[in-house]
Amino acid sequence: MALFQSNNPVFNEKVLQKAGSSQAEGTMTIKGTINKMAFLLVLVMAAAVYAWGAPARQQDIMPFLWGGALGGFVLAIVITFKKEWAQYLAPAYALAEGLFLGVISVLYSELYDGIVLQAVGITFATFLAMLVLYRTRIIRATEKFKAIVFTATAGIALFYLLAFVLSFFNIRIPFLHEGSTIGIIFSLVVVCIAALNLVIDFDLIETGAAQGAPKYFEWYASFGLLVTLIWLYLEILRLLSKLSKR
């Protein structure tokens, strides 16, 4: 997934400034963004349910896994650089990621009973908690806060990239996958950083609406928030699997 400077990789202040300076029909609103985010979530869940049922239909799940992962990655890159295309590509991204998440969820559920429902529940509970903390201004998206979360997010991304490269040489980082104390602490930290990204996304959506960003930015903002939610869900799955191993 893309990373960075909202600390959502696809939604940051530089992007907001560029979008605000362009001409487009209508302006961004918070209500419009919420509606589009809800639509994208429905697409994700629909695709995930379809992929979840693949084993029952005796279908190979690997095309869903790799097709969804690679398709979602390519679409995310395109949307990041062509933000005005988000209104057309964000739904496709949601469907691709839904297929990927459906397969990943099936694989986890076969190893740990009930883990998927727990992860979904915790993900949405975290989303609501961070929204409340943001709306009540208990957590403020100050420049210092943004800098800290961005640095942490970038560090996690580089670490995951290093782990991915090392895997080609059959070198595994134990605490990344195992349920050791260090592994659990690492996952807890990553989940917290992913959750804090939501605060920055909320702030940028609110700022975009206040500054009158173009209407298409509602799709782009919804896409950016979806990226963070998917990352959060995957990290919660990883954390719960480590706890189950103990």
Side-chain angles (χ1 to χ4, degrees), residues 33 45 64 66 81 94 96 107 116 130 133 151 169 221 239 243:
T33 305
M45 290 187 287
F64 296 134
W66 293 110
F81 288 98
L107 296 177
V116 172
M130 299 312 294
L133 291 173
T151 302
F169 301 94
L239 173 60
L243 292 173

Side-chain angles (χ1 to χ4, degrees), residues 204-240:
L204 287 170
I205 291 172
E206 189 173 63
T207 302
Q211 293 183 356
K215 194 66 175 178
Y216 70 78
F217 214 70
E218 293 176 352
W219 284 105
Y220 188 74
S222 301
F223 158 71
L225 189 55
L226 184 62
V227 170
T228 301
L229 277 176
I230 290 173
W231 177 33
L232 179 63
Y233 170 72
L234 291 173
E235 294 299 343
I236 289 175
L237 265 182
R238 188 194 300 272
L239 173 60
L240 291 177

Side-chain angles (χ1 to χ4, degrees), residues 6-98:
S6 67
N7 301 289
N8 187 307
V10 297
F11 194 29
N12 56 63
E13 291 183 2
K14 289 183 179 179
V15 169
L16 183 58
Q17 291 168 0
K18 291 179 181 178
S21 64
S22 63
Q23 298 296 322
E25 183 178 351
T27 57
M28 175 184 181
T29 65
I30 293 178
K31 181 179 179 180
T33 305
I34 292 173
N35 291 338
K36 290 172 176 60
M37 182 63 191
F39 175 68
L40 293 181
L41 283 176
V42 169
L43 292 181
V44 169
M45 290 187 287
V49 169
Y50 180 79
W52 181 284
R57 299 190 302 271
Q58 297 183 337
Q59 286 182 269
D60 184 6
I61 62 175
M62 287 301 104
F64 296 134
L65 178 66
W66 293 110
L70 295 177
F73 178 77
V74 171
L75 288 168
I77 295 299
V78 174
I79 295 172
T80 299
F81 288 98
K82 289 290 186 179
K83 54 191 177 294
E84 61 272 18
W85 292 3
Q87 56 189 320
Y88 310 110
L89 299 184
Y93 171 82
L95 290 172
E97 287 299 307

